[in-house]
């Protein structure tokens, strides 16, 4: 088998002409005969025992040619592609067989190859790195989170309800003296001041004590769903329980209970170190991603659609494996989400295009910069795998050939080159919105979430007293 010619016929498309000599083809024809004869019955011979010459005389000389070509085709194409020095990204197409007989076979086919790539800038790229400084307010916010996490809910009986209390109530709503659908609930946990219910409802619970029954008079908002919008309503409410969240004191005893530290100061230092570590990792990741995005977008190449489709296939396979780990399959997931295969694939397209561009860029950098993988780097990689999977290094080497590892190591070295040559400016803390403010906001949100009851005894439908707008109602009904 030999490559007769290879010619570029279109962008990223080459046509190959391959020759298979008569001797190789004859051997393949005989293999095809030996494989197929058990299925052939010729009068005068037991099934499977008819000589090849008799079969060819009856069915024609070329009866085994197609099967013989199937035997030879994979190796013939692989050898030809290797001889032509092409990097093929899709299965061959437009196969023609101009000649096939005793003298051999001639094949013509087309293959799609990786595109020629022109790099943009990849050295001296300017990037701003997030600040990794940790403020005292951020440490305080984390301490508050720990306190909230360890708070306990206790019942109070010696006073009236006030803002931020968690109340357990029964209620039933009436409009024009008639109860309306969705206006009734029993054992409902409501945090006063959470603005979970329509305006005025929660305020009128404040001041009442456990065991009291009373009326709450409210007016439904104009944007409420149509049956109740702008109407006056009376809710008959019974207050069963008042509960409060008790936040523990921040002292050395608390620290010993929730951590391996002995004092508040030690805990603060530990929290600061952990936050700095997390910020640095996040800042490095964001900076690397920004640089790689610039490199990927900077290339010039006419990328074959086949490369993008294959990357999408790979991403979908990975997604499918994660679903299987959760006890789902892809088709069930699509059914639940109301997506068809085409729409689902479309969701991976942008990321796939970006990844293909980046892969091509890194390959080009590796080539231009003559990046090589040293033997010690390969050994170090094998050691990491062995430690990760608790296996012997030699077993890892048998499972993962060096040729499969080298491209990944080389790509990492190319990324390191991009990062090392970048012009990095560290963002000043004052240049962003105060991290402390963000932390405080997040802390407030956590507090509000913590105040909401973990399990409500309310009916399946939302109580009509809740702040449900027309738009929200429509969305629920979809």
């Amino acid at each position: 088998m030999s490559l007769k010619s290879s010619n570029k016929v279109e962008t990223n498309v080459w046509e190959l002409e391959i020759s298979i000599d008569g001797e190789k083809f004859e051997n393949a024809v005989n293999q095809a005969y030996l494989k197929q004869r058990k299925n052939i019955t010729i009068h005068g011979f037991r099934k499977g025992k008819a000589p090849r010459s008799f079969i060819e005389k009856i069915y024609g000389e070329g009866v085994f040619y197609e099967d013989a070509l199937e035997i030879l085709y994979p190796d013939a194409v692989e050898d030809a592609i290797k001889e032509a020095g092409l990097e093929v990204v899709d299965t061959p197409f437009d196969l023609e067989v101009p000649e096939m007989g005793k003298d051999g076979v001639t094949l013509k086919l087309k293959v799609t190859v990786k595109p020629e790539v022109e790099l943009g800038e990849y050295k001296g790229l300017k990037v701003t790195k997030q600040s990794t400084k940790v403020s005292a307010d951020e440490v305080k916010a984390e301490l508050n989170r720990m306190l909230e996490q360890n708070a306990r809910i206790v019942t109070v009986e010696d006073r009236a309800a006030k803002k931020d209390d968690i109340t357990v109530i029964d209620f039933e709503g009436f409009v024009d003296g008639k109860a309306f659908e969705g206006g009734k609930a029993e054992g409902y946990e409501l945090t006063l001041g959470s603005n979970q219910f329509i305006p005025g409802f929660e305020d009128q619970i404040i001041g009442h004590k456990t065991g009291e029954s009373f009326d709450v008079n409210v007016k439904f908002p104009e944007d409420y769903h149509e049956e109740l919008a702008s109407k006056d309503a009376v809710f008959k409410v019974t207050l069963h329980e008042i509960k409060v969240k008790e936040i523990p004191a921040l002292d050395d005893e608390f620290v010993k209970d929730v951590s391996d530290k002995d004092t508040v100061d030690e805990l603060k230092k530990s929290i600061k170190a952990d936050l700095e570590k997390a910020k640095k990792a996040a800042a490095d990741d964001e900076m690397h991603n920004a640089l790689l995005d610039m490199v990927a977008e900077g290339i010039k190449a006419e990328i074959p659609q086949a490369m993008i489709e294959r990357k999408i296939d790979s991403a979908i396979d990975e997604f499918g494996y994660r679903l299987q780990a959760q006890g789902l399959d892809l088709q069930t997931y699509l059914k639940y989400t109301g997506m068809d295969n085409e729409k689902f694939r479309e969701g991976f397209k942008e990321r796939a295009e970006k990844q293909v561009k980046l892969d091509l860029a890194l390959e080009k950098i590796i080539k231009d910069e003559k990046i090589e993988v040293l033997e010690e780097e390969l050994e170090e990689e094998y050691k990491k795998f062995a430690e990760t999977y608790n296996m012997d290094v030699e077993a890892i080497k048998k499972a993962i050939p060096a040729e499969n590892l080298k491209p990944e190591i080389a790509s990492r070295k190319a990324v390191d080159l991009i990062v090392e040559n970048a012009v990095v400016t560290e963002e000043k803390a004052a240049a962003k919105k105060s991290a402390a403010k963000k932390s405080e906001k997040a802390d407030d949100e956590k507090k509000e979430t913590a105040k909401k009851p973990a399990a409500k005894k309310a009916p399946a439908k939302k109580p009509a007293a809740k702040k449900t707008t027309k738009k929200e109602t429509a969305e629920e009904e979809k």
Side-chain angles (χ1 to χ4, degrees):
M1 291 182 281
S2 64
L3 176 68
K4 290 181 71 175
S5 65
S6 61
N7 299 295
K8 185 176 181 180
V9 292
E10 300 173 37
T11 302
N12 304 321
V13 176
W14 287 66
E15 184 176 71
L16 305 181
E17 187 173 0
I18 305 168
S19 174
I20 301 173
D21 63 42
E23 184 180 350
K24 283 186 182 297
F25 188 60
E26 169 59 23
N27 288 336
V29 169
N30 201 50
Q31 287 180 52
Y33 156 68
L34 294 173
K35 184 178 178 181
Q36 294 295 334
R37 66 179 180 178
K38 63 180 180 293
N39 302 318
I40 300 173
T41 301
I42 299 293
H43 183 68
F45 297 92
R46 284 181 297 151
K47 186 176 181 179
K49 297 297 182 180
R52 175 181 155 188
S53 58
F54 274 80
I55 297 171
E56 289 176 336
K57 185 175 181 181
I58 293 172
Y59 292 103
E61 186 179 59
V63 63
F64 298 114
Y65 282 5
E66 189 173 330
D67 290 335
L69 183 58
E70 284 186 10
I71 293 170
L72 294 172
Y73 180 83
D75 287 341
V77 173
E78 184 180 348
D79 291 346
I81 289 171
K82 191 179 294 183
E83 189 177 341
L86 301 176
E87 288 189 85
V88 176
V89 298
D90 201 7
T91 52
F93 62 99
D94 286 358
L95 173 66
E96 296 178 19
V97 187
E99 297 175 18
M100 183 160 62
K102 289 183 178 181
D103 295 332
V105 182
T106 299
L107 305 175
K108 281 186 178 182
L109 52 88
K110 293 176 182 177
V111 291
T112 305
V113 301
K114 282 186 177 179
E116 295 178 5
V117 176
E118 181 182 335
L119 285 169
E121 296 294 330
Y122 64 93
K123 290 182 179 179
L125 295 172
K126 294 179 180 179
V127 66
T128 300
K129 185 177 180 180
Q130 284 183 357
S131 172
T132 58
K133 291 179 180 178
V134 175
S135 69
D137 285 336
E138 288 175 295
V139 174
K140 182 180 177 182
E142 181 61 18
L143 284 170
N144 287 338
R145 185 194 65 79
M146 294 177 71
L147 291 169
E148 287 276 0
Q149 200 172 40
N150 288 276
R152 63 194 187 105
I153 306 299
V154 296
T155 300
V156 295
E157 298 178 348
D158 57 348
R159 66 167 175 80
K162 60 182 182 180
K163 188 179 178 185
D164 295 330
D165 284 348
I166 301 167
T167 60
V168 179
I169 60 173
D170 294 345
F171 62 84
E172 184 172 15
F174 298 83
V175 171
D176 298 329
K178 294 181 180 179
F180 54 84
E181 186 180 359
K184 183 178 181 179
E186 295 178 351
Y188 196 94
E189 286 196 343
L190 175 64
T191 300
L192 303 182
S194 64
N195 296 319
Q196 186 181 355
F197 278 19
I198 59 177
F201 189 101
E202 294 169 28
D203 293 340
Q204 294 178 57
I205 298 175
I206 293 172
H208 289 283
K209 293 184 177 181
T210 301
E212 289 186 14
S213 295
F214 49 92
D215 290 349
V216 169
N217 297 283
V218 292
K219 187 181 185 71
F220 283 103
E222 291 181 4
D223 61 350
Y224 212 76
H225 49 80
E226 292 178 8
E227 313 91 78
L228 299 172
S230 301
K231 290 185 178 180
D232 293 320
V234 177
F235 283 86
K236 303 291 184 180
V237 178
T238 299
L239 177 55
H240 290 295
E241 191 176 3
I242 301 170
K243 298 186 284 188
V244 294
K245 181 187 293 184
E246 284 190 351
I247 305 293
L250 179 59
D251 54 24
D252 292 349
E253 290 306 312
F254 170 77
V255 170
K256 290 173 185 176
D257 286 342
V258 300
S259 73
D260 58 355
K261 308 303 176 189
D262 293 321
T263 67
V264 173
D265 284 342
E266 286 179 8
L267 181 58
K268 285 180 178 179
K269 288 177 183 176
S270 175
I271 288 172
K272 185 175 181 180
D274 288 344
L275 290 174
E276 284 175 343
K277 184 178 179 181
K279 275 194 168 188
K280 185 180 184 306
D284 286 343
D285 283 347
E286 186 173 296
M287 181 187 72
H288 288 189
N289 289 337
L291 288 169
L292 295 179
D293 283 348
M294 284 187 266
V295 172
E297 291 305 315
I299 71 166
K300 292 180 181 178
E302 293 187 44
I303 300 173
Q305 186 61 31
M307 293 186 72
I308 295 169
E309 293 302 323
R310 285 198 168 188
K311 190 65 73 173
I312 292 173
D313 290 341
S314 178
I316 289 176
D317 287 344
E318 185 180 336
F319 186 84
Y321 295 142
R322 291 202 301 271
L323 284 178
Q324 286 176 13
Q326 299 172 32
L328 282 175
D329 62 79
L330 186 56
Q331 291 308 313
T332 302
Y333 172 83
L334 293 179
K335 183 179 178 181
Y336 284 158
T337 56
M339 282 192 287
D340 57 25
N341 283 298
E342 186 177 345
K343 186 178 178 182
F344 182 67
R345 287 184 67 84
E346 188 67 25
F348 289 90
K349 186 177 179 182
E350 184 178 348
R351 187 176 68 177
E353 288 177 345
K354 185 181 290 187
Q355 190 59 54
V356 169
K357 286 181 179 180
L358 179 58
D359 290 345
L360 291 170
L362 292 177
E363 287 175 9
K364 180 65 172 170
I365 291 171
I366 291 166
K367 182 178 179 181
D368 290 359
E369 295 287 342
K370 297 181 174 56
I371 294 174
E372 296 181 355
V373 177
L374 305 177
E375 195 61 35
E376 53 264 34
E377 292 171 330
L378 193 58
E379 287 298 318
E380 186 62 31
E381 192 73 7
Y382 276 125
K383 285 180 184 177
K384 287 179 183 177
F385 272 106
E387 289 172 4
T388 301
Y389 297 103
N390 195 27
M391 291 175 63
D392 183 72
V393 172
E394 293 306 314
I396 293 291
K397 287 182 178 180
K398 288 179 181 178
I400 310 174
E403 292 309 309
N404 290 3
L405 274 185
K406 284 182 178 180
E408 185 178 338
I409 298 171
S411 290
R412 290 206 300 265
K413 292 178 77 171
V415 172
D416 290 342
L417 183 146
I418 294 166
V419 174
E420 288 164 7
N421 286 276
V423 179
V424 182
T425 303
E426 185 160 334
E427 186 179 41
K428 294 179 181 178
K432 321 166 47 171
K433 285 184 179 178
S434 166
K437 286 183 180 178
K438 286 185 178 179
S439 181
E440 287 171 5
K441 183 180 178 183
D443 191 47
D444 288 342
E445 288 172 352
K446 286 172 184 171
K447 285 181 182 178
E448 289 301 321
T449 302
K451 289 174 186 173
K452 292 179 182 177
K456 298 175 181 177
K457 298 178 184 176
K461 281 196 171 184
K462 286 186 178 180
K466 294 187 79 174
K467 294 199 300 186
T468 309
T469 63
K470 294 176 184 175
K471 181 180 178 182
E472 289 168 339
T473 302
E475 288 175 347
E476 284 177 12
E477 291 172 352
K478 281 181 181 179

